[in-house]
Amino acid sequence: MLLTGRSQTKSTDMTKINSILYATDLGKHTRPAFRMAVSLSKLNSAKIHFLYVIEPVSANTASLVNTYLPEGTIEELHQKSIDDLHIKIQNRIDEFCLEELNGQEFPGGDPIVDIIEGAPSATIIKTAKDKNIDLIVMGSHAHSTLDNLFIGSVADKVVNRSTTPVLLVPLKND
């Protein structure tokens, strides 16, 4: 695990964690990161904000699709997808609650679920800032050094650009 961030508090101050942003890509092996967020939530009685970021469709792709579908279809499909994602996320949270919390409620109350369209790393950082988050928890997949050199992972960008501390939890590759 890697905990990093540029703390804006004095070095002698202990930072209280009141809110945790759990950012996920909803991959198959992301439960350890969510487990870590919930564990830290228990220790601190912190609120969890569950964030899933949808990358926007490019203008060219939207234009191409619009030529084949009736007007308004893309907007309907987009809204249906977001509604389906909310259901999927809520089901995952409920399943986690039953399996790992023995049906107990989350320590800081039910997680707040946000599905936001945007560039993943920038959206995670902006959401953390806007919601006054104390800690970002996210999974990190092992990638080759060459991949990170040319592409860069979302986790790397968040770690290097966020002023909010970030906890990376190693995940198996999907």
Side-chain angles (χ1 to χ4, degrees):
M1 284 177 271
L2 172 66
L3 179 60
T4 184
R6 295 177 203 103
S7 177
Q8 296 177 341
T9 60
K10 295 178 186 173
S11 59
T12 57
D13 292 345
M14 291 296 290
T15 302
K16 173 78 171 107
I17 299 174
N18 294 309
S19 58
I20 298 169
L21 178 67
Y22 168 64
T24 182
D25 64 2
L26 295 178
K28 294 177 188 173
H29 304 292
T30 57
R31 189 171 272 209
F34 191 49
R35 188 178 295 126
M36 179 63 71
V38 171
S39 177
L40 291 168
S41 171
K42 280 183 180 179
L43 288 172
N44 294 280
S45 297
K47 185 74 172 173
I48 295 178
H49 296 261
F50 194 110
L51 176 64
Y52 179 77
V53 180
I54 300 172
E55 292 193 63
V57 175
S58 74
N60 288 339
T61 302
S63 179
L64 179 65
V65 172
N66 276 329
T67 63
Y68 290 101
L69 297 174
E71 191 173 325
T73 303
I74 278 197
E75 291 79 14
E76 289 174 23
L77 290 172
H78 185 266
Q79 188 56 52
K80 181 174 178 358
S81 295
I82 289 177
D83 294 344
D84 289 348
L85 277 169
H86 271 285
I87 292 167
K88 181 178 181 177
I89 290 169
Q90 192 57 55
N91 287 342
R92 278 192 173 196
I93 291 170
D94 292 345
E95 182 180 303
F96 182 92
C97 190
L98 284 172
E99 291 176 5
E100 301 212 18
L101 298 178
N102 298 320
Q104 297 175 1
E105 292 185 16
F106 285 87
D110 289 337
I112 295 169
V113 177
D114 287 316
I115 299 172
I116 301 173
E117 192 170 336
S121 57
T123 302
I124 292 166
I125 292 166
K126 182 178 182 330
T127 301
K129 184 176 181 182
D130 291 349
K131 294 185 178 284
N132 200 26
I133 296 295
D134 299 307
L135 178 67
I136 299 169
V137 175
M138 56 191 299
S140 178
H141 299 279
H143 295 292
S144 73
T145 305
L146 191 60
D147 285 345
N148 284 336
L149 179 65
F150 291 111
I151 300 169
S153 70
V154 172
D156 288 337
K157 290 176 185 174
V158 172
V159 164
N160 288 310
R161 297 177 184 163
S162 177
T163 57
T164 303
V166 178
L167 174 65
L168 295 181
V169 179
L171 303 175
K172 296 177 186 175
N173 285 323
D174 288 343

